[in-house]
Amino acid sequence: MSDSEDEAVERQVKVALVGPPQVGKTSLAMRYTQDTVNKGYQASMGVDFYLKRLILGSERNVNVQIWDVAGSSLAGKMTDKYLYGAHAIMMVYDVTVSHTLDSLQDWVAAARRAGRAQERPPILALVANKADLEHTRQVKSERHHRFASDYGMVSYVVSAKTGEGVALAFQKVVAELLGVRLTKAEQEQQQPVVTAEIVTYQEGAIPKIPVPATNSTSTVCSVM
């Protein structure tokens, strides 16, 4: 096969995004494929499809098909069909809502059930979304990594809102599927530049913290 014919070969990769409702699956898909964010929440019905074409390592063209599976689908009869044939299943939860991680246990069971009919089981990835809301985080890092370890999953922490880690997470999953080792430069290219927002307050709007009175003597407490 000539170089020109080799370049025309397009590898097909199916990646399924699953998880409970309102954790940001659609926003992740849109951020990765369109570099936009889903500003208004609208519950997905069934499954939505997204496409991303990229060049990865020695692979000339990779066609990444993203299946955005609605959270409500877990209770339906189509879940196995949505997941069948997936090369990777990315399980998404919201770091600010603790029970969204717990609910992924049911999705793990569904993924394993769907993968039994496949010659090669899909790669499972744990994706912690909304990392930009660190101040309201409920799921600690230790719990995240323990869950991933218990179920044999690779794991990522991302923010669909800022784009932090999103492209890199998808890139690493696809690279693992194709047996491609990403270089440091390739990984750095996937990291977005996050613009800081400067907030200016008027002097009168900032509450003043009273300074406690101090005594001229101090007390030292010793613990024996």
Side-chain angles (χ1 to χ4, degrees):
M1 181 180 292
S2 66
D3 291 340
S4 60
E5 290 175 331
D6 186 48
E7 290 180 0
V9 175
E10 189 171 63
R11 296 291 300 271
Q12 304 288 334
V13 173
K14 176 181 176 180
V15 178
L17 288 178
V18 304
Q22 301 185 46
V23 295
K25 299 184 296 296
T26 300
S27 293
L28 286 174
M30 292 180 63
R31 172 62 73 182
Y32 179 55
T33 59
Q34 305 171 20
D35 198 24
T36 59
V37 65
N38 187 19
K39 296 182 179 180
Y41 174 73
Q42 184 175 359
S44 299
M45 300 296 292
V47 60
D48 292 328
F49 304 92
Y50 297 85
L51 184 65
K52 179 76 172 183
R53 287 187 173 88
L54 56 91
I55 298 176
L56 187 64
S58 61
E59 299 292 336
R60 297 295 188 229
N61 295 289
V62 182
N63 185 349
V64 183
Q65 301 173 354
I66 300 175
W67 291 45
D68 174 18
V69 182
S72 59
S73 297
L74 189 60
K77 299 179 180 180
M78 296 294 292
T79 305
D80 289 355
K81 292 182 174 59
Y82 294 153
L83 300 183
Y84 178 77
H87 299 95
I89 300 177
M90 302 177 72
M91 303 194 177
V92 187
Y93 75 95
D94 181 348
V95 297
T96 70
V97 183
S98 181
H99 71 79
T100 60
L101 176 60
D102 298 326
S103 67
L104 289 182
Q105 296 180 23
D106 294 331
W107 280 105
V108 172
R112 289 176 174 174
R113 185 171 61 249
R116 289 172 189 162
Q118 299 180 201
E119 181 178 351
R120 180 181 177 184
I123 292 175
L124 302 183
L126 180 64
V127 181
N129 190 29
K130 305 186 183 182
D132 55 292
L133 301 177
E134 181 65 28
H135 58 292
T136 57
R137 184 184 185 119
Q138 292 186 2
V139 180
K140 301 300 182 183
S141 178
E142 296 80 4
R143 184 181 168 198
H144 167 92
H145 290 293
R146 184 169 62 250
F147 188 99
S149 177
D150 288 346
Y151 291 103
M153 309 165 75
V154 294
S155 68
Y156 305 97
V157 179
V158 305
S159 169
K161 182 178 180 180
T162 65
E164 177 186 357
V166 175
L168 184 59
F170 280 97
Q171 192 91 334
K172 284 187 172 181
V173 167
V174 175
E176 183 173 351
L177 287 171
L178 300 179
V180 176
R181 185 173 181 177
L182 296 176
T183 65
K184 183 178 180 181
E186 288 174 327
Q187 295 185 43
E188 290 177 347
Q189 288 177 355
Q190 303 304 316
Q191 295 288 16
V193 177
V194 180
T195 304
E197 181 179 356
I198 301 176
V199 180
T200 304
Y201 292 95
Q202 296 181 355
E203 183 177 354
I206 304 176
K208 295 183 178 181
I209 302 175
V211 179
T214 58
N215 297 325
S216 58
T217 60
S218 62
T219 303
V220 177
C221 178
S222 301
V223 179
M224 302 301 293

